[in-house]
Amino acid sequence: MAAARLRQAANTTSEGERRTSMSEESFVYTCCPGWGDHEYCVLKTIVKDGEIVRTEKADYTGAECNEGFICQKGIMSCRQPYSEKRLTHPLKRVGERGAGQWEKISWDQALDEIAAKLLELREQYGPETLAMWNLVASVPPSQGLHTQLASRFAGLWGATDPVQGYGLDNGPLYAGDYDMGNVYQYTMTEPSNFDDSKYLIVWGANPVENQQRLTNHIVEAKSRGAKIVDIGLLYDGTAGYADWFIPVKPGSDPALSMCMVQQIIEKKLYKADFLLEHTVAPFLVRDDNDLFMRDGEGNYIVWDVDTDSPIAVTPGVKELAIGNPELSGAHELFGVPCKTAFRRLEEHAALYTPEYQEAITGVPAADAAKLAYEYATQGPSYLVGALGLRYQNQGESYRSFYLLGALTGNLGIPGGGVTSECLGGGWPLIFNNGPIAMPNGREGYKGKAVRQADFFDDVESGNSKVKALWVTAGNPVHNCPNRSRWIDRVFPNLELIVDIDIWMTDTGEYADYVLPDCMPFERYELVNAAAYNHIVLQEPAIEPVGEAKDPTFLYSELAKRVGLGEYFDKTVGEWIDVLLETDYGPVAGLEPKVTFERLKKEKIIRAALPPMPWNPFWGMKFGTPSGRLEFYSERLAPANAMMASYRDPMEAPTQAQLAKGGLTYPYHFFSGRQRFFMQSMFTDDPLMVEMSGGKPTARINPVDAAREGILDGDKVEIYNQRGHVVADMRLDQAMPPGTLQVWFGWRRGAFEEGMYSELLVPLGDRSTLDDTANLWWQQLEDRGMVHAGAGTGSQAMIAGGWDTIWDCACDLRKVEKEA
Ligand SMILES: Nc1nc2c(c(=O)[nH]1)N[C@H]1C(S)=C(S)[C@@H](COP(=O)(O)OP(=O)(O)OC[C@H]3O[C@@H](n4cnc5c(=O)[nH]c(N)nc54)[C@H](O)[C@@H]3O)O[C@H]1N2
Ligand SMILES: Nc1nc2c(c(=O)[nH]1)N[C@H]1C(S)=C(S)[C@@H](COP(=O)(O)OP(=O)(O)OC[C@H]3O[C@@H](n4cnc5c(=O)[nH]c(N)nc54)[C@H](O)[C@@H]3O)O[C@H]1N2
Ligand code: SF4
Ligand SMILES: [Mo]
């Protein structure tokens, strides 16, 4: 069997044997199957006798020649195509949903039946009857043809787009939109920008275990003398690597970051010139309605110290006509009392004393003061915020990070910066996605974006027009809380569920049809997402397993059956040529023109390099109404959220509640990432499972365990009002008291009973929507930015809520072993 031979090649071939057989090896480039970790690595996939023998780092050139190292998952991923768990044929459910009884059918039968059902449902309910789940993160390359062709189909059909999953990452997007006027730009980071940092704070992330590309550069910074600070929950790999680990209570972060703001202001450690030049600090704000003061022409007003008089500032024009604007002051203008935005900030931040934050975060007051002092004085400082802050107040956390960067002048300078989402997308190689996803242009795109909370409420009501779910990317039953919601309340109202994947997943188990996709090792793609400034062609290394087919086949054949065939008449090479037809900088500038044929010959082509690592703050040009960084946002005045604040998270028990005692669910539940799994990927590989301890376990701090009378290895049930999970308990000092944890990734089948994703706050739930979420959604709609079409670069994907995957309370009890 191929898998057995593969193991042999990897384990038992001696060096000598391997060297003599080298001449027969060839290679292609492949997007790593672990792509969803946002590291976007390309694997050099070595093939011999029609089989993959190993994967290596890709050969980048020029300034990037030392980039592109791959991790343990990338190296192990060459086992995946040969897994016995691969889907090899289209499957049709024969028993009850979830009963695991399947019939292997032909592609013709599968697509004939699915198309007939879709047409029947459309006849009865209209095109919105079809909902497409297209969480672009994990199918390599995210936003490649797999995504674009699905969007094309959805737009031509008029499908419902339940703007999937992005509530998870909304904090960074919210901060980017309100502070800098761009939803996506500031989530991307070229990590080599960290290299020259002298003080680097990793805040709410665990890159040492989860994001190796970023970690390379954190290591580089440390080796050049930077102090590394980790602010987190668990004593994880990053905490262990850091020079200073500051543990915080779950969901408490904005209290600490705002305390840093308070300290920096109180000790006058801020950079006044920077604030005056780049932010709204000098703009006058009205006391009566919290909006910027304006003159009759709609200009903003700043106060000129030299002439002691007001001066108008044209919206969007950053340069001030005066040399000496006032930073902190109060005046009366047009009969209205007003203050500079900076004075407003001083007053707002005064609440967040070190002692005040200590009561919320648990960080000793002296440590908070020291952190603020060091951050402001030992720079250049980098604040690496990432995705570990998924609580309802995440938007406040990320806004306060940009505020810290602005106060200390650590934006757009070598070694200084703030990053929110830590997507390793560096120099933006942008391809021509639009014409593929939207052949009739944006106006002609018939898909309908629906806010998640509305989508779920609608489908659960039983009166929805949505009767079919097409899961083209993602494993929502597993990954998008809450599992029980899908199974008990959503699926019973659907007449057709189709899942496209490479293995059977927790979602596929409940589908009516499961369709086998090719893995990246088996199909052509244009590698997007800025693979280190190089344009790379993914080519098939091996034949597809069984009957697995690529997205070009899938959508062409489906389209043909529902009357959209004329739109899907291209080969994969022709689609790739459309993608390469871009007029955007680094790709467009290349000579000779990059085409599918040229890429087939050269495999990898370096794009036009900008002179320095790409940095979203270059030029300090902002898309905000003022053209400045708006740490004070008048657009958020209707929700009284002009400046970043601490708000209690939803369920995570607060310090005050814990002190009072008597909570129904006194523990916080956390399910963070595990280094050998990439979400649910790699959980089918026996070796990865073995390295992960063989089976899922739960973890607890020994102090809590002693109080509960739990010993290492005891079987426990962790539960709340939504569900439960049963696992063996491990006592672990890395766990902070008050938190229970089960690693994210394990499938339902790995658990004896229950599943961690039963516990979680439901995805896109109305309960996670607050005034800021509602206001933001409405303002995006007003600006025409809510638009269906995942992966098209439109800004439609924002869910408008704060999905709080870890913000969930629980309790535990010992499960008595049967006699
Ligand atoms: N190996 C592997 N790598 C991955 C993934 C994977 O599944 N496996 N998934 C990828 C994806 S999609 C994502 S989004 C990223 C996520 O990357 P990370 O955000 O790094 O992911 P986590 O490990 O889930 O959480 C990171 C840390 O957040 C801390 N944390 C939790 N709650 C709080 C809090 O309230 N405050 C603070 N300050 N810290 C807190 C915990 O200490 C935890 O170690 O990882 C990517 N990389
Ligand atoms: N409890 C808990 N839940 C979480 C999180 C958490 O930390 N804890 N993290 C959240 C986060 S940050 C994220 S990003 C989401 C991720 O949620 P998902 O994106 O749903 O996560 P994956 O498990 O990676 O699902 C991707 C699916 O794509 C499939 N796939 C992989 N390669 C291919 C391919 O080439 N073709 C096709 N057709 N399919 C492929 C995989 O087998 C998998 O089933 O999960 C969220 N859910
Ligand atoms: S870091 Fe992620 S993308 Fe890169 S090799 Fe590892 S799993 Fe693959
Ligand atoms: Mo994610």
Side-chain angles (χ1 to χ4, degrees):
M1 209 199 112
R5 277 203 300 276
L6 173 73
R7 270 193 297 279
Q8 237 186 343
N11 298 334
T12 61
T13 313
S14 73
E15 264 312 301
E17 277 169 310
R18 206 177 288 166
R19 233 172 280 127
T20 50
S21 61
M22 283 297 250
S23 56
E24 301 157 48
E25 289 181 349
S26 62
F27 78 92
V28 294
Y29 284 121
T30 307
C31 293
C32 176
W35 188 268
D37 64 10
H38 316 313
E39 298 284 280
Y40 310 131
C41 300
V42 170
L43 308 173
K44 184 175 183 182
T45 300
I46 320 279
V47 185
K48 198 184 147 200
D49 300 331
E51 283 183 19
I52 302 169
V53 290
R54 65 183 183 280
T55 50
E56 294 176 357
K57 163 189 179 306
D59 298 325
Y60 293 105
T61 56
E64 296 79 46
C65 67
N66 286 325
E67 297 281 9
F69 292 97
I70 59 174
C71 81
Q72 68 281 6
K73 296 189 293 310
I75 288 165
M76 295 290 281
S77 68
C78 63
R79 298 161 52 86
Q80 290 198 332
Y82 303 109
S83 164
E84 287 168 12
K85 299 255 177 98
R86 281 293 299 279
L87 291 168
T88 55
H89 293 80
L91 299 176
K92 180 183 180 180
R93 173 173 66 82
V94 287
E96 290 287 296
R97 276 196 189 141
Q101 289 161 321
W102 303 98
E103 180 191 352
K104 282 185 184 169
I105 59 174
S106 68
W107 273 99
D108 273 337
Q109 185 189 342
L111 292 170
D112 285 349
E113 290 180 12
I114 291 168
K117 184 70 188 174
L118 285 177
L119 292 172
E120 179 200 313
L121 290 171
R122 185 170 72 180
E123 187 65 37
Q124 207 179 336
Y125 301 101
E128 59 267 51
T129 196
L130 169 64
M132 189 170 297
W133 191 267
N134 195 359
L135 178 49
V136 299
S138 295
V139 177
S142 49
Q143 309 204 14
L145 281 174
H146 184 99
T147 308
Q148 303 304 335
L149 293 176
S151 289
R152 185 181 181 92
F153 185 87
L156 291 163
W157 172 279
T160 297
D161 180 1
V163 284
Q164 7 9 21
Y166 277 79
L168 295 170
D169 303 350
N170 260 358
L173 307 182
Y174 173 83
D177 195 18
Y178 284 108
D179 284 47
M180 278 85 66
N182 189 303
V183 177
Y184 288 108
Q185 176 172 334
Y186 297 90
T187 62
M188 283 190 292
T189 307
E190 171 43 55
S192 54
N193 281 303
F194 303 165
D195 292 359
D196 294 319
S197 175
K198 289 287 167 267
Y199 199 82
L200 192 148
I201 304 180
V202 179
W203 199 320
N206 182 14
V208 167
E209 290 177 77
N210 299 338
Q211 293 187 278
Q212 57 94 42
R213 177 173 172 183
L214 299 183
T215 301
N216 266 344
H217 293 280
I218 295 175
V219 171
E220 181 64 30
K222 189 172 177 175
S223 75
R224 296 187 195 183
K227 177 166 180 174
I228 313 292
V229 181
D230 180 58
I231 302 175
L233 182 69
L234 320 184
Y235 192 80
D236 55 24
T238 307
Y241 180 74
D243 299 296
W244 186 14
F245 171 53
I246 304 177
V248 291
K249 296 294 169 201
S252 69
D253 302 83
L256 176 58
S257 49
M258 285 308 294
C259 170
M260 292 172 69
V261 170
Q262 183 268 350
Q263 285 289 297
I264 288 166
I265 292 175
E266 187 185 282
K267 296 187 180 144
K268 302 229 176 320
L269 300 173
Y270 54 81
K271 296 250 183 337
D273 289 351
F274 190 94
L275 290 166
L276 291 169
E277 189 181 345
H278 299 299
T279 78
V280 291
F283 285 25
L284 289 174
V285 181
R286 301 169 61 122
D287 283 2
D288 59 349
N289 63 6
D290 303 324
L291 303 180
F292 289 124
M293 176 55 81
R294 285 187 168 77
D295 66 11
E297 271 102 67
N299 298 311
Y300 303 106
I301 311 287
V302 298
W303 199 264
D304 182 22
V305 178
D306 291 342
T307 58
D308 199 25
S309 61
I311 303 287
V313 181
T314 314
V317 176
K318 219 176 130 193
E319 290 66 36
L320 300 182
I322 50 166
N324 199 1
E326 182 182 61
L327 183 61
S328 178
H331 302 276
E332 196 172 303
L333 225 69
F334 311 116
V336 179
C338 47
K339 293 173 187 129
T340 63
F342 188 76
R343 172 68 65 87
R344 281 281 200 131
L345 178 66
E346 289 176 303
E347 292 173 1
H348 174 69
L351 170 69
Y352 296 93
T353 60
E355 293 71 28
Y356 178 85
Q357 74 76 39
E358 179 172 347
I360 297 169
T361 64
V363 176
D367 283 358
K370 181 177 146 189
L371 174 70
Y373 184 78
E374 289 185 356
Y375 173 75
T377 59
Q378 296 187 8
S381 299
Y382 226 107
L383 204 163
V384 183
L387 295 166
L389 300 171
R390 290 200 173 99
Y391 300 84
Q392 205 189 14
N393 56 22
Q394 53 176 283
E396 307 300 319
S397 297
Y398 296 104
R399 285 201 73 206
S400 61
F401 294 167
Y402 289 113
L403 171 56
L404 283 168
L407 278 172
T408 56
N410 275 301
L411 296 175
I413 59 164
V418 173
T419 167
S420 53
E421 210 169 319
C422 260
L423 300 185
W427 303 302
L429 301 193
I430 293 182
F431 297 113
N432 193 29
N433 293 336
I436 298 194
M438 301 191 181
N440 299 325
R442 208 185 134 118
E443 294 312 309
Y445 191 91
K446 292 191 284 177
K448 192 165 152 250
V450 182
R451 203 179 179 186
Q452 279 171 357
D454 297 333
F455 173 79
F456 281 102
D457 283 356
D458 175 43
V459 180
E460 282 176 5
S461 75
N463 304 319
S464 174
K465 289 180 175 170
V466 175
K467 297 290 177 202
L469 179 67
W470 178 268
V471 181
T472 189
N475 177 8
V477 171
H478 185 159
N479 299 325
C480 297
N482 157 312
R483 173 184 168 89
S484 333
R485 185 180 200 182
W486 288 104
I487 296 167
D488 300 336
R489 284 148 58 192
V490 173
F491 288 167
N493 293 325
L494 298 179
E495 294 181 30
L496 176 68
I497 304 171
V498 182
D499 186 32
I500 296 113
D501 211 299
I502 49 182
W503 1 73
M504 185 60 78
T505 67
D506 288 17
T507 305
E509 283 176 3
Y510 288 86
D512 305 310
Y513 295 89
V514 179
L515 306 177
D517 194 12
C518 290
M519 284 201 78
F521 296 107
E522 299 160 340
R523 67 183 186 91
Y524 281 106
E525 253 302 354
L526 184 62
V527 181
N528 62 4
Y532 300 100
N533 195 41
H534 283 67
I535 307 162
V536 187
L537 181 68
Q538 170 179 291
E539 296 174 278
I542 51 173
E543 291 293 315
V545 63
E547 292 290 309
K549 297 284 185 207
D550 76 353
T552 307
F553 170 90
L554 173 66
Y555 288 102
S556 305
E557 289 298 311
L558 181 68
K560 212 157 67 185
R561 288 165 168 83
V562 297
L564 294 171
E566 61 181 300
Y567 290 97
F568 289 84
D569 56 353
K570 291 197 185 348
T571 61
V572 66
E574 288 165 345
W575 289 125
I576 288 173
D577 274 335
V578 175
L579 286 174
L580 287 165
E581 205 54 60
T582 177
D583 52 11
Y584 188 83
V587 181
L590 293 175
E591 282 298 331
K593 204 165 152 359
V594 182
T595 60
F596 179 61
E597 282 310 315
R598 184 175 163 203
L599 273 170
K600 270 190 12 182
K601 283 190 208 98
E602 298 174 45
K603 287 183 162 56
I604 185 166
I605 296 170
R606 188 159 186 265
L609 176 75
M612 276 164 65
W614 183 80
N615 182 323
F617 282 97
W618 270 355
M620 300 296 277
K621 289 198 177 68
F622 302 112
T624 49
S626 64
R628 291 165 164 257
L629 189 145
E630 298 195 355
F631 66 82
Y632 183 99
S633 176
E634 66 171 0
R635 292 185 289 167
L636 285 166
N640 194 26
M642 296 80 71
M643 290 175 280
S645 310
Y646 169 77
R647 277 182 281 122
D648 280 341
M650 259 177 55
E651 284 194 18
T654 63
Q655 290 280 87
Q657 288 169 317
L658 280 173
K660 252 193 266 152
L663 286 172
T664 320
Y665 300 111
Y667 287 93
H668 167 245
F669 182 78
F670 177 77
S671 59
R673 278 148 184 88
Q674 207 263 38
R675 75 176 82 177
F676 300 111
F677 297 157
M678 209 305 296
Q679 347 264 40
S680 63
M681 289 286 282
F682 297 90
T683 55
D684 289 317
D685 183 327
L687 267 183
M688 296 306 239
V689 167
E690 198 183 313
M691 287 192 278
S692 307
K695 64 172 182 179
T697 49
R699 292 197 292 168
I700 188 172
N701 184 278
V703 174
D704 288 336
R707 201 186 48 248
E708 300 280 353
I710 288 168
L711 301 176
D712 195 70
D714 278 353
K715 191 185 284 185
V716 297
E717 180 189 24
I718 300 174
Y719 65 94
N720 63 15
Q721 71 277 28
R722 286 179 290 268
H724 75 155
V725 60
V726 173
D728 288 354
M729 190 57 102
R730 292 259 160 263
L731 272 47
D732 192 336
Q733 300 261 16
M735 296 300 302
T739 295
L740 301 177
Q741 193 239 1
V742 177
W743 285 125
F744 174 45
W746 297 100
R747 295 193 198 282
R748 159 74 187 90
F751 292 89
E752 208 171 296
E753 213 191 307
M755 164 70 169
Y756 56 84
S757 58
E758 288 179 10
L759 297 162
L760 306 180
V761 175
L763 171 87
D765 194 64
R766 205 153 292 283
S767 65
T768 76
L769 301 180
D770 56 13
D771 288 353
T772 51
N774 288 327
L775 179 67
W776 188 28
W777 178 262
Q778 185 208 314
Q779 292 184 347
L780 286 171
E781 258 187 341
D782 293 347
R783 280 147 65 198
M785 286 163 77
V786 172
H787 188 254
T792 52
S794 77
Q795 314 218 333
M797 298 182 281
I798 295 151
W802 315 113
D803 295 313
T804 53
I805 46 179
W806 303 324
D807 194 356
C808 109
C810 66
D811 202 354
L812 86 166
R813 58 183 156 236
K814 206 158 133 176
V815 177
E816 296 306 331
K817 298 230 162 75
E818 280 138 49

